[in-house]
Amino acid sequence: MIMRLPIVLCSLAVLSFQTLAASKNSVGPTLPSYSPSSSTINHGAFEIEGRANYFQTTGHFDYDGTKVPLEEGSGFEKIDGDAYLRYGVSRQIQLDIGARFRQNHSFNENVDITSSGLESYTAGAKYSFDSFGRWLFAVELRYRQTAYTNEDLEAGTATPTDKLELGDAGAESTALAHITFERTKNNIFSGYFGYNRPGNSLSPEIPWNIETAFKYQNWAFIGGVKGLYSLGASDYAEATDLKPRQADGETMLFNSINRSYMEPFLGINYASGSWRLEGKMGHVLSGVSTDEGNEFQIGLVYNTGGTTLTEKKVESFKEYEVEGTVLKVSPRNTFVKIDQGTAHDI
């Protein structure tokens, strides 16, 4: 099973590259090779995105942030499949809905268990402000609801070996502020920060992301760091032994206490026609009440195009009525002969 999950991602990558290679548009992409988080899709455009994310635990960070190695013969893997549908309501407003499928795999010397199913569904809205010089700002609201509930067990009791939870159950509400700075035509700095209220009675937290991209016609190369900062409001921060347990297996990703982490990452995008293929890899190298691990992500985006700002200006310019026709202009451009039709007798 350990080897099978990365193979799934590799297969998706090969299929995605074959799809892009078959694109009929050889001139250049209509979908940009990189879209900063402050941007929204064009007015009237539909965008479909599929994304697969694989995480492999290599260790744990305890409640004090101390790194704890995995016990011999144990491990945890998580693979998420996300699907999103977005629509450009206007040039500045974007709405989207989505769903997530998850598979967890936990094992040690005595137990090997897998759980899978619909993890959650989500809806969101983003508003981008008019650009201010080289700066672009946007705000986003998002709501996510899990499709399952977790069973709390009394603190100190053994967790069942025949059950594995999918994650942190409940509703999650997020508000984000996005900032983008276009340093040059080919280099962009982008990031976001916000407020997140997770489910499963976890503490409120601040998600954040900082990245830079070198963008070209078909390719984009991205590097950055993302993370989570807890506001420290967990009821069990001073009494971790009293927190109810859940069947999480060999991971601390779920049912955490004031979780936080930092993850550097690298990414590469390739765009062709209306398609864009995205790849990313990162490593969680510090945190509190979470897992150390490697993360691999691949995504495929399709966009119908919509109406760009330039096209909208051209169309508005064309909104006129023909009142007359110039039939002839004198050699010295002094006189013109105009025909308004028999209805005007001119």
Side-chain angles (χ1 to χ4, degrees):
M1 186 65 184
I2 301 177
M3 299 298 297
R4 207 176 302 157
L5 292 177
I7 291 175
V8 173
L9 295 180
C10 293
S11 300
L12 285 173
V14 172
L15 179 61
S16 301
F17 273 118
Q18 290 176 342
T19 302
L20 290 171
S23 175
K24 296 180 180 180
N25 191 341
S26 60
V27 177
T30 57
L31 188 64
S33 59
Y34 173 77
S35 296
S37 64
S38 299
S39 64
T40 52
I41 62 177
N42 292 332
H43 177 210
F46 282 96
E47 186 171 275
I48 301 173
E49 178 181 354
R51 191 170 296 276
N53 183 290
Y54 171 74
F55 182 88
Q56 181 183 41
T57 296
T58 58
H60 303 300
F61 297 105
D62 64 16
Y63 303 128
D64 297 320
T66 303
K67 181 180 176 180
V68 180
L70 286 173
E71 295 184 4
E72 185 176 354
S74 66
F76 180 82
E77 298 168 323
K78 175 174 67 72
I79 184 167
D80 287 340
D82 291 273
Y84 295 96
L85 174 63
R86 304 184 181 95
Y87 176 68
V89 178
S90 68
R91 183 175 61 86
Q92 296 175 294
I93 300 177
Q94 169 186 302
L95 302 178
D96 69 82
I97 56 174
R100 171 176 294 166
F101 179 90
R102 173 171 292 172
Q103 176 179 292
N104 290 337
H105 177 216
S106 178
F107 58 93
N108 54 39
E109 292 182 342
N110 302 314
V111 179
D112 191 316
I113 186 171
T114 299
S115 63
S116 60
L118 177 63
E119 197 276 334
S120 61
Y121 45 90
T122 183
K126 184 190 291 186
Y127 178 85
S128 63
F129 298 90
D130 289 329
S131 59
F132 183 74
R134 296 183 179 182
W135 294 89
L136 182 63
F137 303 92
V139 292
E140 181 179 7
L141 297 176
R142 178 157 298 281
Y143 177 82
R144 183 178 293 275
Q145 174 65 53
T146 58
Y148 57 91
T149 57
N150 290 347
E151 179 184 1
D152 286 337
L153 307 171
E154 291 186 9
T157 60
T159 57
T161 58
D162 59 345
K163 184 178 181 181
L164 182 63
E165 301 288 6
L166 282 178
D168 289 312
E172 180 178 87
S173 302
T174 308
L176 297 174
H178 301 269
I179 304 173
T180 297
F181 174 69
E182 188 175 3
R183 190 180 72 87
T184 66
K185 179 182 178 181
N186 299 113
N187 183 215
I188 296 175
F189 287 87
S190 184
Y192 64 77
F193 67 93
Y195 176 85
N196 184 53
R197 181 79 186 191
N200 209 15
S201 302
L202 300 183
S203 169
E205 50 204 14
I206 299 175
W208 57 272
N209 181 91
I210 302 172
E211 65 185 44
T212 183
F214 292 90
K215 182 178 103 172
Y216 304 97
Q217 179 173 295
N218 294 93
W219 294 91
F221 304 92
I222 305 107
V225 58
K226 66 178 182 178
L228 204 62
Y229 176 79
S230 175
L231 294 180
S234 174
D235 296 333
Y236 301 95
E238 303 299 329
T240 58
D241 294 338
L242 299 180
K243 185 175 177 64
R245 302 195 64 188
Q246 296 177 355
D248 298 327
E250 302 293 329
T251 183
M252 293 184 67
L253 290 175
F254 316 125
N255 198 31
S256 305
I257 297 178
N258 294 335
R259 65 180 178 183
S260 65
Y261 72 87
M262 183 178 68
E263 177 185 347
F265 61 86
L266 294 172
I268 182 172
N269 296 351
Y270 177 76
S272 178
S274 300
W275 298 84
R276 182 173 65 234
L277 178 65
E278 303 176 350
K280 186 181 292 185
M281 60 182 299
H283 178 75
V284 178
L285 50 78
S286 66
V288 173
S289 189
T290 190
D291 286 1
E292 178 195 39
N294 301 313
E295 184 175 30
F296 302 92
Q297 187 179 104
I298 185 170
L300 187 63
V301 181
Y302 172 76
N303 191 293
T304 61
T307 304
T308 66
L309 180 60
T310 302
E311 291 172 339
K312 191 172 182 179
K313 289 182 177 179
V314 171
E315 290 300 321
S316 62
F317 176 76
K318 289 181 178 179
E319 293 177 359
Y320 56 84
E321 295 181 359
V322 178
E323 296 183 354
T325 304
V326 176
L327 299 180
K328 187 176 181 181
V329 181
S330 65
R332 296 185 179 181
N333 296 324
T334 308
F335 302 99
V336 295
K337 188 175 183 180
I338 299 176
D339 179 15
Q340 280 194 300
T342 56
H344 296 86
D345 294 324
I346 300 176

